[in-house]
Amino acid sequence: MANITLKQLRAFVAVARTQSFTEACAQVHLSQPALSITIKNLEEEAGGALFSRTTRAIALTPEGEEFYPVAQKIIHDYDAALDDLTQRFALNRGRVVLAAMPSFASSLLPSIISDYRSLYPNVSVTVNDVIAEDVVDMVRNGQVEVGITFDPGRFDDLSFTPLFDDRFVAVVYPDHPLALQETVAWQALLDNDFIALQRPSSIRLLIEAKLRQLGLQVSPEFETHQLATIGRMVATGLGVSAVPSLCIQQMRELGAICRELDTPVMSRPVGILTRKRYPLSKAAVSLVDIIQGAAADLSERIKL
């Protein structure tokens, strides 16, 4: 296989374009002897003459004519690829894809993306708002570089960086007696018709496991797959529920009331999920930096 270099291609294109070694020397910044050697080496690698030389003129051979547009395209594609790479490292171009659970995507993520876009307006951001379990799968499968989700537990192929603890809060309808209390105990909440997420929701499983340790049991009157549906059902008086504090704004917009929930206090870390052994792009690293820098503010924004 011929070992042709980019330097040789540039020299060939310069001579072919100008039909003059003297003019080509100025374009590729080589002395005439160095340019002549470069062209000679290229022809040896190619297996034949690319130029027809006389004492008065220089012209492309038929093989040179065929190769000329190919060499131009190779140089153009190389320069374009290098420019694109440089622009991506400078964050003047690029794309970052992340997945976030809906409670985070709809409440805290928009302001983060706004801050990111103000710094890097030419980098596009794609958000996949999916349930917590799907965030883990999308990161693991390489569909996204970054995930925002609850702590999924220990995985050999994933890294989890905590941002803040998300406490569970009670959700009741406006004229419910528990709405008059600042803090609601779990037992008092469970004494009412309870609306829960369907299994295998990680939120449902966490609530059941924590309460089981205290001898308490969740017996839902209603089950649904979406937190938004829970908020609407509570607001219409069908029952009560418990949701992560990330959902407080969403519950209020749906017409429900949120109260502190204790005995026991139940919380779960929310953080950044990435793949081990797979370096992030420069665009993704910059986004993660902004998310981590905003962690303290994010924690304050989900308090009652």
Side-chain angles (χ1 to χ4, degrees), residues 98-114:
L98 71 152
M101 51 190 181
S103 56
F104 188 94
S106 64
S107 59
L108 302 181
L109 187 58
S111 62
I112 292 172
I113 294 177
S114 178

Side-chain angles (χ1 to χ4, degrees), residues 147-153 158-164 269-274 276:
I148 307 294
T149 186
F150 294 119
D151 185 352
L158 298 175
S159 294
F160 179 79
T161 304
L163 292 171
F164 56 85
V270 172
I272 301 169
L273 195 65
T274 57
K276 293 180 180 177

Side-chain angles (χ1 to χ4, degrees), residues 14-288:
V15 175
R17 182 190 303 118
T18 61
Q19 295 188 344
S20 165
F21 270 79
T22 302
E23 291 183 36
C25 286
Q27 291 187 8
V28 295
H29 308 291
L30 290 174
S31 65
Q32 189 153 333
L35 179 60
S36 296
I37 292 173
T38 300
I39 296 297
K40 181 175 179 294
N41 291 338
L42 171 61
E43 290 177 326
E44 288 178 353
E45 289 290 340
L50 298 174
F51 292 103
S52 173
R53 304 169 180 82
T54 67
T55 55
R56 294 186 176 182
I58 182 169
L60 286 167
T61 64
E63 292 81 7
E65 289 279 5
E66 292 288 336
F67 185 57
Y68 180 39
V70 175
Q72 286 180 305
K73 185 176 187 306
I74 292 173
I75 293 172
H76 175 271
D77 290 348
Y78 173 86
D79 289 343
L82 184 60
D83 178 67
D84 181 71
L85 182 62
T86 303
Q87 294 298 325
R88 287 177 184 274
F89 277 123
L91 294 178
N92 293 323
R93 190 179 302 160
R95 177 171 177 253
V96 59
V97 183
L98 71 152
M101 51 190 181
S103 56
F104 188 94
S106 64
S107 59
L108 302 181
L109 187 58
S111 62
I112 292 172
I113 294 177
S114 178
D115 291 342
Y116 183 79
R117 290 283 288 176
S118 67
L119 293 173
Y120 312 111
N122 296 319
V123 178
S124 65
V125 180
T126 299
V127 178
N128 297 271
D129 52 338
V130 295
I131 61 175
E133 294 82 1
D134 287 349
V135 173
V136 176
D137 290 340
M138 293 185 77
V139 172
R140 171 174 284 128
N141 297 333
Q143 294 173 266
V144 301
E145 288 192 87
V146 178
I148 307 294
T149 186
F150 294 119
D151 185 352
R154 187 175 182 85
F155 289 100
D156 292 338
D157 59 336
L158 298 175
S159 294
F160 179 79
T161 304
L163 292 171
F164 56 85
D165 284 337
D166 187 17
R167 287 182 55 170
F168 280 80
V169 295
V171 187
V172 300
Y173 46 90
D175 56 352
H176 193 285
L178 293 178
L180 301 176
Q181 302 181 19
E182 290 187 4
T183 302
V184 176
W186 268 100
Q187 183 62 70
L189 194 67
L190 295 174
D191 287 340
N192 295 267
D193 290 340
F194 194 82
I195 307 171
L197 287 173
Q198 295 173 334
R199 295 189 185 95
S201 161
S202 61
I203 293 175
R204 169 75 175 271
L205 297 178
L206 174 66
I207 290 175
E208 290 181 334
K210 292 286 188 180
L211 293 181
R212 194 180 301 119
Q213 295 173 4
L214 299 175
L216 299 175
Q217 185 176 358
V218 178
S219 300
E221 190 71 22
F222 304 98
E223 296 183 56
T224 182
H225 188 63
Q226 299 291 339
L227 287 165
T229 305
I230 285 181
R232 182 64 68 191
M233 293 175 73
V234 170
T236 56
L238 286 174
V240 300
S241 190
V243 301
S245 53
L246 275 170
C247 302
I248 289 174
Q249 179 181 341
Q250 182 184 33
M251 295 297 112
R252 288 172 174 168
E253 291 173 351
L254 292 169
I257 302 294
C258 295
R259 292 291 180 260
E260 294 284 357
L261 186 57
D262 63 12
T263 321
V265 171
M266 196 179 298
S267 65
R268 190 172 182 183
V270 172
I272 301 169
L273 195 65
T274 57
R275 286 195 296 175
K276 293 180 180 177
R277 299 181 294 276
Y278 288 88
L280 297 177
S281 66
K282 184 70 178 295
V285 168
S286 300
L287 179 60
V288 167

